[in-house]
Amino acid sequence: MRKKVTIVGSGNVGATAAHWIAAKELADVVLLDVVEGVPQGKALDLLQAMPIEKRDCSILGTNDYADTANSDIVVITAGIARKPGMSRDDLLNTNSGIMSSVVKQVVAASPDTIIIVVSNPLDAMAQAAFKHSGFPRERVIGMAGVLDSARFRTFIATELNVSVENVTAFVLGGHGDTMVPLSRYSTVAGIPITELIAPDRLKELESRTANGGAEIVKHLKTGSAYYAPSAAAVEMVEAILKDKKKILPCAAYLQGEYGISGLYVGVPCKLGAKGLEQIIEIKLTAEEQAALQKSADSVKELCTVIDVL
């Protein structure tokens, strides 16, 4: 019997995530949205691509949470998108209300599921999902670091004119302007990038990574990134469904790790069949620890506003 993944929100990120999952033949997909007709149309279109792609996946579009029952994983992308000039914080109250409603219905239909949160502001929305679900932290994970490190890897590979396959990158902290790209843990074929890229240029790449989403919003004018965010969420889905024990940077609920408690912050996580199976703690310099704490403080601020601490 194939695994079942529900995606809540059939906008660009949700629909593209469904596309990646079906293209990899990872699971049957349920695409859910409050807007009537949109998930049904997109799901049918994608389903009709399966004979061409030679993939056996069921793809169902629906407005009814009953169709999501017994999902192995639920990916939540629902919420309003960021518009030019809009900060992540502007999204906060609207998306918090949406998250509360979605999570309660998801939990009622799939009490044993694992939730991956993609909605923004990411860390605060993961915290909201955790609080409203009543799930253990292992089953509510936020997608941020996979995307941020992919952006960093892209810029490093372009800068050095090397294959992206050779590049590993490390990003900690909240998803947004306070993220902490760790250059000394980032490598090209095992060589630290600090040996290959001048410090001032490296700072520019780190800054571009931190503002990666805003750069795309500025180009698009009427939308935000969706190819890379959806691919990042699907990498997490695949690690869990295939019990890969893959270490990926994700937003996880910390209980003393890195000196932080009671907050969702981006850290290296081992993902497997149980969801979050381990948080990997690495040694940070005083400067890196301070940057991570600053990032956590900004997440705490948002969580206080929507009362999910």
Side-chain angles (χ1 to χ4, degrees):
M1 191 171 164
R2 284 194 294 261
K3 298 287 189 181
K4 180 176 181 178
V5 176
T6 287
I7 300 167
V8 182
S10 60
N12 285 339
V13 175
T16 310
H19 184 181
W20 292 119
I21 290 169
K24 289 171 176 273
E25 208 173 39
L26 289 178
D28 289 337
V29 181
V30 178
L31 195 54
L32 183 140
D33 202 281
V34 290
V35 182
E36 211 169 305
V38 171
Q40 288 88 344
K42 290 187 177 183
L44 186 57
D45 189 13
L46 188 51
L47 186 65
Q48 290 165 357
M50 292 303 98
I52 302 165
E53 289 294 304
K54 300 177 180 62
R55 294 288 183 263
D56 286 303
C57 289
S58 155
I59 303 144
L60 173 73
T62 185
N63 311 110
D64 187 352
Y65 280 89
D67 291 321
T68 72
N70 304 314
S71 294
D72 295 282
I73 298 176
V74 175
V75 180
I76 302 178
T77 72
I80 59 165
R82 197 169 162 201
K83 296 178 177 66
M86 181 190 268
S87 76
R88 289 180 188 281
D89 307 5
D90 294 337
L91 296 175
L92 190 60
N93 287 315
T94 303
N95 284 354
S96 170
I98 293 169
M99 185 60 66
S100 168
S101 164
V102 165
V103 167
K104 284 168 186 168
Q105 294 175 89
V106 161
V107 170
S110 303
D112 299 317
T113 197
I114 292 167
I115 295 174
I116 295 175
V117 178
V118 182
S119 310
N120 275 323
L122 189 282
D123 308 272
M125 290 303 101
Q127 185 106 2
F130 174 66
K131 182 171 182 183
H132 296 308
S133 68
F135 283 1
R137 69 171 182 169
E138 288 75 16
R139 292 202 282 130
V140 182
I141 315 159
M143 187 292 293
V146 177
L147 169 61
D148 297 328
S149 59
R151 285 174 171 157
F152 199 19
R153 285 165 69 192
T154 304
F155 302 146
I156 293 165
T158 304
E159 179 74 12
L160 295 171
N161 192 26
V162 298
S163 167
V164 289
E165 289 182 46
N166 284 140
V167 184
T168 61
F170 220 106
V171 179
L172 293 178
H175 181 54
D177 313 335
T178 61
M179 71 178 72
V180 188
L182 289 186
S183 289
R184 69 191 182 92
Y185 280 111
S186 304
T187 64
V188 174
I191 305 159
I193 60 168
T194 48
E195 308 271 313
L196 302 169
I197 301 173
D200 56 339
R201 183 62 187 140
L202 208 41
K203 279 270 176 270
E204 288 172 23
L205 298 186
E206 289 175 359
S207 173
R208 190 178 179 195
T209 300
N211 296 294
E215 183 180 352
I216 289 170
V217 167
K218 195 173 164 191
H219 283 304
L220 292 175
K221 297 178 179 62
T222 57
S224 52
Y226 57 94
Y227 291 119
S230 58
V234 172
E235 184 172 22
M236 293 170 66
V237 167
E238 185 170 20
I240 294 166
L241 290 180
K242 293 185 176 177
D243 193 21
K244 278 179 166 282
K245 315 292 187 197
K246 195 169 191 178
I247 295 170
L248 296 169
C250 307
Y253 187 74
L254 300 188
Q255 296 171 318
E257 297 89 355
Y258 293 95
I260 297 164
S261 280
L263 276 179
Y264 268 81
V265 177
V267 290
C269 296
K270 185 194 286 183
L271 299 189
K274 293 174 184 153
L276 169 66
E277 298 195 348
Q278 188 187 348
I279 288 172
I280 313 292
E281 287 196 77
I282 55 171
K283 284 185 180 163
L284 300 180
T285 63
E287 190 185 347
E288 288 162 351
Q289 184 64 47
L292 184 61
Q293 189 58 56
K294 182 186 173 194
S295 189
D297 290 343
S298 72
V299 173
K300 189 172 188 175
E301 226 172 87
L302 299 185
C303 291
T304 304
V305 173
I306 56 172
D307 193 25
V308 291
L309 284 175

